[in-house]
Amino acid sequence: MPYEHTTASTTEPARYGDPIHYPTAVQQPVMLPAELPPGVAMVTLPNGYRTLAYTHPQPLTPAPAAQPVPAWAKTTALLAPTVGGGIAAAGFGISYAAPGLIAMTEALWAAIALIAAGTLAPLLLRTTRRASGRGAAPVQHVTQHITASGMFGRATGTLNNR
């Protein structure tokens, strides 16, 4: 059965697109703010309704006397822009130093790779000599004796292969 509604004029069933007539609420007379007696005010309730209500008169409190600004507040107020300026200067410095820092990190990685290669190379050479040392030629030793007389004297030397 389709939804039915009643209007003031007919009781026929509602069709799509027909206006729905809702009953109107009872209109309460509205008082002007100037007509409100003392101690009565228009208030809004938590559910959104506005109504008249008795209000308690608020006692008049004297305005607080002006207090001097404490020294810590002055110090903090003067320190805040200084700290902010220092942070801004550090940011600019880091932005200018960033390319150099990137280059330094790449140089440090290269140095680490060089140190690693320098320590691993002798170990690898020892293991390869031991593995293939069975029929290999003996290791040759070369000694040099160099002598020179005086600060600008000519150096002479001998070379011995064993």
Side-chain angles (χ1 to χ4, degrees):
M1 178 168 163
Y3 171 77
E4 293 186 14
H5 71 280
T6 58
T7 60
S9 63
T10 85
T11 57
E12 64 188 40
R15 293 178 301 171
Y16 181 75
D18 283 349
I20 299 175
H21 300 286
Y22 294 103
T24 58
V26 177
Q27 296 293 326
Q28 297 292 331
V30 178
M31 293 181 69
L32 296 174
E35 296 175 350
L36 296 176
V40 176
M42 182 67 76
V43 295
T44 304
L45 298 176
N47 60 4
Y49 289 109
R50 291 185 50 117
T51 184
L52 292 175
Y54 290 106
T55 58
H56 297 289
Q58 299 295 326
L60 295 175
T61 57
Q67 299 289 330
V69 178
W72 65 267
K74 290 179 184 177
T75 304
T76 304
L78 292 173
L79 191 61
T82 306
V83 170
I87 291 171
F92 279 120
I94 289 173
S95 70
Y96 281 117
L101 292 174
I102 292 170
M104 282 185 3
T105 57
E106 291 176 4
L108 285 174
W109 280 114
I112 290 170
L114 183 65
I115 291 170
T119 54
L120 292 178
L123 295 175
L124 292 174
L125 287 175
R126 270 191 231 148
T127 57
T128 55
R129 280 186 188 165
R130 285 185 191 149
S132 64
R134 295 199 197 275
V139 178
Q140 291 192 359
H141 296 283
V142 176
T143 57
Q144 280 184 313
H145 297 286
I146 300 173
T147 57
S149 60
M151 187 170 185
F152 297 106
R154 186 171 184 172
T156 59
T158 59
L159 182 64
N160 299 322
N161 289 328
R162 293 187 195 182

